Amino acid sequence: MATVPLRGLLAGAVLLAGAVWIAAHPAALPSIAPATASAPPREATGVDDPASLAARLIAAARSQEGVTTLYDPAYVALAYPGGDVPRDRGVCTDVVVRAYRDAFGLDLQKLVHEDMARAFSAYPRRWGLAAPDAHIDHRRVPNLQTFFTRHGVSLPVTADPADYAPGDLVTQTVDGRLPHVAIVTGLRSLDGARPLVVHNIGRGTRLDDTLFAFPLTGHFRYGPPARPPSKG
């Protein structure tokens, strides 16, 4: 019978804690307007302007709604590169990883693994690993925070909704100990005061009014490299 490495068991235990908390605290998640209030995804224009890139990222994330219906924190031995768990399940980081793959062809599994191989000491050591693990590293919020800080733009964490643009990434701490990540959209809360986020916090990929529901720990903007100007 196949065995799961100890580090896989530890990773699964940490992810499972998030699922257990969500199941025990359903009232902690604010309700929002039905998803029918959403705008249809915009088609890619082929122009690398920030609004177009953000629209593509959000559309790729929202395409997971109704597809990813389960929160499943199990440690899984993944293919590399391009590895994924079945699309009907996953955790918060899987929403982000899939969105970047689908929108831009950027494989965060590969990018994070390569960066950790180059600069392992720059990444959190809380899991007791002595080397990168391509099966799980990109599925850990603290590792994504480190990667986006090193290769994207780390923006101030504020309490002003206007500071959070469509396509931004935010990290949070749920219940004082569980790291979480979400993608900011251009859709608004029922009162119009806040942008909604798309994420998986325990009930599959969905829109929620949770930008300020939990303490924010990071605010990032990360996109594909700019295309060289066309010759002509």
Side-chain angles (χ1 to χ4, degrees):
M1 184 175 73
T3 60
V4 177
L6 175 59
R7 62 188 180 185
L9 295 175
L10 292 174
V14 172
L15 295 174
L16 180 60
V20 171
W21 185 90
I22 293 299
H25 300 79
L29 300 179
S31 59
I32 63 167
T36 52
S38 63
R42 282 183 278 175
E43 295 295 328
T45 63
V47 179
D48 288 337
D49 63 278
S52 175
L53 295 176
R56 289 165 59 186
L57 181 66
I58 294 165
R62 295 215 57 206
S63 72
Q64 301 171 42
E65 295 175 31
V67 177
T68 304
T69 57
L70 303 172
Y71 187 96
D72 184 352
Y75 179 96
V76 177
L78 302 177
Y80 177 85
D84 196 3
V85 297
R87 281 247 172 170
D88 68 338
R89 63 197 61 228
V91 292
C92 62
T93 48
D94 293 317
V95 178
V96 175
V97 171
R98 290 164 179 164
Y100 275 95
R101 280 178 177 158
D102 294 347
F104 310 122
L106 288 178
D107 185 358
L108 285 168
Q109 180 195 27
K110 184 174 186 288
L111 293 170
V112 170
H113 179 70
E114 290 177 346
D115 196 50
M116 291 187 74
R118 284 190 299 264
F120 188 65
S121 63
Y123 281 78
R125 302 297 292 271
R126 65 183 65 182
W127 302 284
L129 300 182
D133 180 352
H135 301 300
I136 191 67
D137 286 333
H138 62 295
R139 303 182 70 206
R140 288 173 163 151
V141 174
N143 287 340
L144 289 186
Q145 287 178 285
T146 302
F147 177 83
F148 292 137
T149 298
R150 286 169 53 81
H151 299 283
V153 178
S154 182
L155 301 169
V157 172
T158 75
D160 185 352
D163 291 334
Y164 297 88
D168 283 1
L169 304 164
V170 292
T171 55
Q172 301 168 295
T173 299
V174 177
D175 198 29
R177 60 192 178 89
L178 303 173
H180 183 64
V181 65
I183 300 173
V184 179
T185 76
L187 304 176
R188 308 297 292 186
S189 56
L190 284 173
D191 59 7
R194 297 166 301 282
L196 302 180
V197 301
V198 59
H199 63 165
N200 184 352
I201 198 170
R203 300 180 292 187
T205 303
R206 55 179 287 156
L207 283 170
D208 272 318
D209 178 13
T210 54
L211 178 59
F212 298 117
F214 310 106
L216 289 162
T217 59
H219 177 197
F220 308 96
R221 195 165 292 157
Y222 179 74
R227 293 183 297 185
S230 60
K231 298 179 181 180

